[in-house]
Amino acid sequence: MNVSGNIRKMRSELSNPVNYVLPLFDVLEENELVPLNELVGKEIRLTFQQQINCVVTGEKIKKVYGEGMSYLAFIKSPQAVESIIRPELSQAHLGIGLRDLTWELEHDMQPHVVYLAQTSGVKVGVTRIRHVPSRWIDQGAWKTMVVANTPYRQLAGLIEVAMKAHMSDKTDWRKMLTNTLDPDIDLMEEKLKFIEKVPAEYQPYIAKENEITEIHYPVIRYPEKVTSIKLDKVPVIQKKLTGIRGQYWLFDDDTAINIRSHAGYKVRLEA
């Protein structure tokens, strides 16, 4: 294998284990989908070609903001609107756009879920229903469960905000990449606690289903400790790929690289 292009976040399919592909772009045009599972257990060489292109405009940039954006795109593009990180800020249901009403209506005025995800501990999160289960996989979750269904984004965000006082909304990436698990956590019990804490006005949105999704990743060895590396400081990575989890590649020397955080970087991948 010898391919090159601009990185985008990995795409995934729920299977046992998760099936990953890496999209490579020619600036803004997709030109390659690289199957990754077959590379696990093999030595690869990833070379940064000293070029970054904004994922929104395609222009060459020296520094990325958000996920592969120029500074101007980050502060102007609807793809970086504040309600992506803080869904409670969305006002699309009121006909108000924070940046681009047409874009926000398309993305925010559709069914969303509030979910519980377990890696080491339990976190609460929000995603569009069409991003289930890819959102869970991106976070490296072990077990997940939908706990509320809402018709639009802001409502899901308000439920999440109400629950942040009682549980985390963050994933500890180090514990996730070392596979630090607590088998004593019962997601059904966590859902019951969730129901007890959710304010009365949100109770009608509690999910009736109790399905737990368990996710397995293509990993042959987890590190005891892990160090994150970036292509800016390590432009050539030549190591054995020992696994993929979330948006990370794991290597045999207990280092890992976050592929999603390198969106827009032009690379060559050899195996």
Side-chain angles (χ1 to χ4, degrees):
M1 177 185 295
N2 189 332
V3 294
S4 63
N6 297 88
I7 290 175
R8 295 297 189 273
K9 80 165 190 169
M10 290 182 287
R11 298 175 190 166
S12 60
E13 179 184 7
L14 184 62
S15 55
N16 190 5
V18 170
N19 187 55
Y20 282 100
V21 296
L22 175 68
L24 291 176
F25 279 58
D26 179 6
V27 186
L28 295 179
E29 296 293 325
E30 183 180 300
N31 66 358
E32 192 93 37
L33 286 175
V34 183
L36 294 175
N37 288 46
E38 63 192 48
L39 300 183
V40 176
K42 299 179 180 179
E43 182 168 294
I44 67 167
R45 181 182 176 92
L46 184 68
T47 304
F48 176 34
Q49 297 185 299
Q50 302 301 320
Q51 179 177 321
I52 307 171
N53 295 90
C54 172
V55 299
V56 176
T57 66
E59 66 181 299
K60 290 183 180 180
I61 55 177
K62 294 182 178 180
K63 182 179 179 180
V64 298
Y65 295 83
E67 291 178 15
M69 298 184 189
S70 67
Y71 178 70
L72 186 60
F74 182 68
I75 63 173
K76 296 289 187 181
S77 171
Q79 295 181 43
V81 67
E82 295 91 331
S83 55
I84 290 178
I85 302 298
R86 298 180 60 192
E88 72 275 13
L89 297 180
S90 173
Q91 297 185 59
H93 63 293
L94 301 175
I96 300 171
L98 302 181
R99 292 194 179 180
D100 183 326
L101 179 58
T102 300
W103 189 95
E104 291 165 48
L105 285 171
E106 179 184 349
H107 290 80
D108 293 3
M109 292 304 296
Q110 57 178 277
H112 281 64
V113 299
V114 183
Y115 63 87
L116 300 180
Q118 180 184 359
T119 48
S120 52
V122 176
K123 62 154 285 183
V124 62
V126 165
T127 193
R128 280 173 276 174
I129 197 166
R130 74 182 189 188
H131 286 168
V132 172
S134 62
R135 174 65 173 162
W136 302 339
I137 294 169
D138 286 349
Q139 294 180 342
W142 171 33
K143 294 180 180 180
T144 60
M145 187 180 201
V146 172
V147 291
N149 294 284
T150 67
Y152 55 87
R153 186 169 182 80
Q154 190 226 33
L155 185 53
L158 291 174
I159 296 174
E160 180 188 39
V161 168
M163 293 308 299
K164 285 181 183 180
H166 309 289
M167 60 180 61
S168 174
D169 65 332
K170 306 295 183 186
T171 298
D172 186 327
W173 66 271
R174 286 186 175 85
K175 289 184 178 180
M176 182 264 288
L177 293 181
T178 54
N179 202 36
T180 303
L181 305 174
D182 184 347
D184 294 328
I185 292 176
D186 185 321
L187 276 189
M188 189 62 229
E189 290 182 6
E190 296 298 323
K191 179 181 178 180
L192 294 175
K193 294 177 186 177
F194 178 94
I195 294 172
E196 289 178 0
K197 301 293 185 182
V198 169
E201 64 264 35
Y202 304 134
Q203 290 290 333
Y205 303 100
I206 297 297
K208 293 180 173 61
E209 67 272 17
N210 295 315
E211 181 181 357
I212 295 174
T213 300
E214 187 165 334
I215 304 172
H216 303 275
Y217 297 90
V219 179
I220 58 177
R221 186 185 74 84
Y222 281 102
E224 292 185 9
K225 294 183 180 180
V226 64
T227 301
S228 179
I229 55 177
K230 289 187 67 68
L231 289 173
D232 306 85
K233 295 185 177 180
V234 186
V236 179
I237 298 173
Q238 184 164 343
K239 304 178 183 186
K240 182 178 179 181
L241 183 67
T242 55
I244 308 171
R245 183 163 178 174
Q247 282 289 322
Y248 285 86
W249 291 2
L250 291 164
F251 299 108
D252 58 344
D253 63 348
D254 296 350
T255 59
I257 183 172
N258 185 327
I259 294 300
R260 187 173 190 168
S261 71
H262 289 83
Y265 283 62
K266 188 174 182 180
V267 300
R268 179 172 298 279
L269 175 61
E270 301 167 85

